[in-house]
Amino acid sequence: MLRSGKVGLRARHEDDIPILRTELYDDVVNAARSEGRPWRPITPGSKDSRLVVDDKEEGHVPFSVVELDGGTLVGTAVLWGIDTHNRTAHLGLGLLPSARGKGYGTDTVAALCHYGFVVRGLHRLQIETLSDNAAMLRSAERNGFVREGVLRSSAWVMGEFLDEVLLGVLAADWKPNAKHR
């Protein structure tokens, strides 16, 4: 398990899937804001790629996010679009509604940076998020990400186009936190 602050990133367990499905993906507004594709209902027990892990897929590494104190599932995190030639990747996360506003996002981004830079030896990590997602912007910037640009009207969300902010951090600029273990 990767640890940072109050959270740990671990492999997805089968019993995580119904919780993530109910708390994150069945919420139409939340799913529409976090996915780059239209919301659709997920049939219980389906092998939907957003939830079920394909251990053979090298370019997409999903984690379940848990509280270190007690092991309670608090969300999902992913390093995706991993490009081993250019040594880059994107990261994302989704916290359960009950886990928001507690600093878990900042700790999750820190753990993903540790995984990307230290474990995987990547050179650059990138985040794309909606311009009104203050929590993700704050979590990214607290971990050394720099705003690199705005993708104007690039995301179709619940009937309107929204801007996305592009953030990046290089391994040479990243300052590992003593909370990583």
Side-chain angles (χ1 to χ4, degrees), residues 54-67:
D54 177 357
D55 287 324
K56 295 180 181 94
E57 172 56 54
E58 290 291 324
H60 182 90
V61 182
F63 298 94
S64 286
V65 182
V66 296
E67 288 178 318

Side-chain angles (χ1 to χ4, degrees), residues 106-129:
T106 298
D107 289 346
T108 300
V109 171
L112 285 169
C113 287
H114 178 80
Y115 178 71
F117 292 135
V118 176
V119 177
R120 297 293 297 248
L122 298 176
H123 172 69
R124 172 188 166 79
L125 295 175
Q126 182 171 309
I127 295 172
E128 301 86 7
T129 191

Side-chain angles (χ1 to χ4, degrees), residues 84-160:
T84 57
H85 176 73
N86 292 304
R87 295 177 47 209
T88 63
H90 303 257
L91 62 89
L93 65 100
L95 295 176
L96 303 181
S98 62
R100 296 176 189 157
K102 298 179 180 180
Y104 296 151
T106 298
D107 289 346
T108 300
V109 171
L112 285 169
C113 287
H114 178 80
Y115 178 71
F117 292 135
V118 176
V119 177
R120 297 293 297 248
L122 298 176
H123 172 69
R124 172 188 166 79
L125 295 175
Q126 182 171 309
I127 295 172
E128 301 86 7
T129 191
L130 297 175
S131 62
D132 65 353
N133 188 349
M136 184 57 149
L137 292 168
R138 192 171 39 255
S139 293
E141 290 171 338
R142 286 179 177 163
N143 280 286
F145 282 79
V146 175
R147 293 182 193 214
E148 297 179 335
V150 174
L151 306 170
R152 296 179 308 133
S153 292
S154 62
W156 178 253
V157 179
M158 300 301 292
E160 65 179 323

